[in-house]
Amino acid sequence: MAETDDTRFPSPRDLKALIEAERTGIPFLYWRDGAGEQRILMLGNDRPQVMIGRRENCDVPLTSDPEVSRAHALVERVGEQWTVVDDGLSRNGTFVNGSRIHGRLRLNDRDGMCFGNTHVWFRSASGERGSESTARAVDSPSSIPLTERKRKVLIALCRPVALSRSATPATNAQIAEELHITIDTVKAVLRELFEQFSLSELPQNEKRNRLVAKVLDSGLIPPHDF
């Protein structure tokens, strides 16, 4: 099976870019281009309408996806809300969270749109599904209490990335071996940390890297601890 937007693990660099986009308070779209690079498009007041398609001059140019029509769909602001519009002209349709749309659909925070074989994700300005925003959590690291065990697990998890941003977070087995605890204990501590950092609702393959990015970006743990 080819690696897709859903199966590829986001890199710490990609997650840092997403955190920075969230901090602006401006809605945005993000996706991966044909080379696998993450792209982010801010939806500011000067951009009330975004064209998505295979043409190079589209706002979201999905030029490498043969299943995408030249002018496939629109993401458009209506009042204070963002919507996606497919008027039936696209060859293969537009899907939101797995369901094909007909006409216009209001977008909610973290909705995943699919055009051809490409996924494009929407983030709102306020996180409309009720989870605490990443930016707020990162801006207030002192508000996140850490037991000594949680602190040690975080240090072990983040150390590879703290030493080299091209590295990946430590695995549960590596953390367990370093701290001389069981893998089940590591999993339990990480679940609590995901909850504290408002990451529980994220896809499983994103939680670990997002946690590392937030910890390193916030300075919650000083560099000398790594």
Side-chain angles (χ1 to χ4, degrees), residues 39-57:
R39 302 297 179 192
I40 295 176
L41 179 68
M42 306 306 295
L43 302 175
N45 292 331
D46 60 338
R47 197 188 297 271
Q49 189 180 82
V50 170
M51 174 61 72
I52 298 169
R54 205 171 71 251
R55 292 175 178 163
E56 291 186 0
N57 62 350

Side-chain angles (χ1 to χ4, degrees), residues 15 19 22 110 123 131-135 137-138 144 154 157 190-215:
L15 291 174
I19 289 171
E22 290 169 359
R110 302 184 189 278
R123 293 304 311 270
S131 61
E132 181 182 3
S133 73
T134 301
V138 170
I144 301 176
L154 273 181
L157 174 72
L190 286 175
R191 280 195 297 270
E192 293 179 11
L193 287 168
F194 294 148
E195 180 68 28
Q196 284 184 280
F197 282 79
S198 302
L199 300 173
S200 296
E201 295 183 4
L202 292 180
Q204 188 62 38
N205 66 348
E206 187 176 338
K207 291 180 183 178
R208 297 171 71 89
N209 280 334
R210 179 65 74 118
L211 177 59
V212 170
K214 291 178 73 170
V215 169

Side-chain angles (χ1 to χ4, degrees), residues 147-160 170-190 193 208 221 225-226:
T147 64
E148 186 60 24
R149 171 159 286 181
K150 287 179 182 177
R151 183 179 177 82
K152 289 180 178 179
V153 167
L154 273 181
I155 291 171
L157 174 72
C158 297
R159 181 179 288 111
T171 64
N172 290 345
Q174 290 169 332
I175 296 171
E177 182 178 2
E178 177 179 333
L179 301 181
H180 305 291
I181 57 179
T182 66
I183 291 178
D184 285 341
T185 298
V186 174
K187 291 179 179 178
V189 173
L190 286 175
L193 287 168
R208 297 171 71 89
I221 296 176
D225 282 353
F226 298 111

Side-chain angles (χ1 to χ4, degrees), residues 7-226:
T7 60
R8 182 187 292 108
F9 282 77
S11 71
R13 183 187 66 179
D14 290 343
L15 291 174
K16 187 174 187 295
L18 290 177
I19 289 171
E20 291 173 350
E22 290 169 359
R23 280 179 167 169
T24 67
I26 300 172
F28 64 92
L29 303 174
Y30 68 99
W31 71 98
R32 291 190 181 276
D33 63 19
E37 294 296 319
Q38 177 176 276
R39 302 297 179 192
I40 295 176
L41 179 68
M42 306 306 295
L43 302 175
N45 292 331
D46 60 338
R47 197 188 297 271
Q49 189 180 82
V50 170
M51 174 61 72
I52 298 169
R54 205 171 71 251
R55 292 175 178 163
E56 291 186 0
N57 62 350
C58 286
D59 301 288
V60 179
L62 307 180
T63 57
S64 64
D65 190 337
E67 300 301 314
V68 172
S69 300
R70 290 186 299 168
H72 196 106
L74 287 174
V75 169
E76 186 173 34
R77 188 173 67 234
V78 178
E80 297 301 314
Q81 306 297 331
W82 283 91
T83 65
V84 59
V85 185
D86 188 324
D87 58 9
L89 295 180
S90 67
R91 185 171 69 252
N92 294 313
T94 294
F95 295 78
V96 176
N97 301 328
S99 298
R100 185 166 185 168
I101 71 167
H102 301 279
R104 185 184 301 272
L105 182 71
R106 176 177 176 266
L107 291 170
N108 293 306
D109 187 48
R110 302 184 189 278
D111 274 350
M113 296 170 282
C114 187
F115 311 98
N117 295 314
T118 305
H119 289 82
V120 178
W121 301 92
F122 172 75
R123 293 304 311 270
S124 72
S126 58
E128 294 167 358
R129 287 187 175 155
S131 61
E132 181 182 3
S133 73
T134 301
R136 186 158 56 249
V138 170
D139 288 338
S140 306
S142 60
S143 67
I144 301 176
L146 293 178
T147 64
E148 186 60 24
R149 171 159 286 181
K150 287 179 182 177
R151 183 179 177 82
K152 289 180 178 179
V153 167
L154 273 181
I155 291 171
L157 174 72
C158 297
R159 181 179 288 111
V161 180
L163 298 178
S164 172
R165 286 292 175 139
S166 62
T168 57
T171 64
N172 290 345
Q174 290 169 332
I175 296 171
E177 182 178 2
E178 177 179 333
L179 301 181
H180 305 291
I181 57 179
T182 66
I183 291 178
D184 285 341
T185 298
V186 174
K187 291 179 179 178
V189 173
L190 286 175
R191 280 195 297 270
E192 293 179 11
L193 287 168
F194 294 148
E195 180 68 28
Q196 284 184 280
F197 282 79
S198 302
L199 300 173
S200 296
E201 295 183 4
L202 292 180
Q204 188 62 38
N205 66 348
E206 187 176 338
K207 291 180 183 178
R208 297 171 71 89
N209 280 334
R210 179 65 74 118
L211 177 59
V212 170
K214 291 178 73 170
V215 169
L216 295 181
D217 191 52
S218 69
L220 179 60
I221 296 176
H224 60 72
D225 282 353
F226 298 111

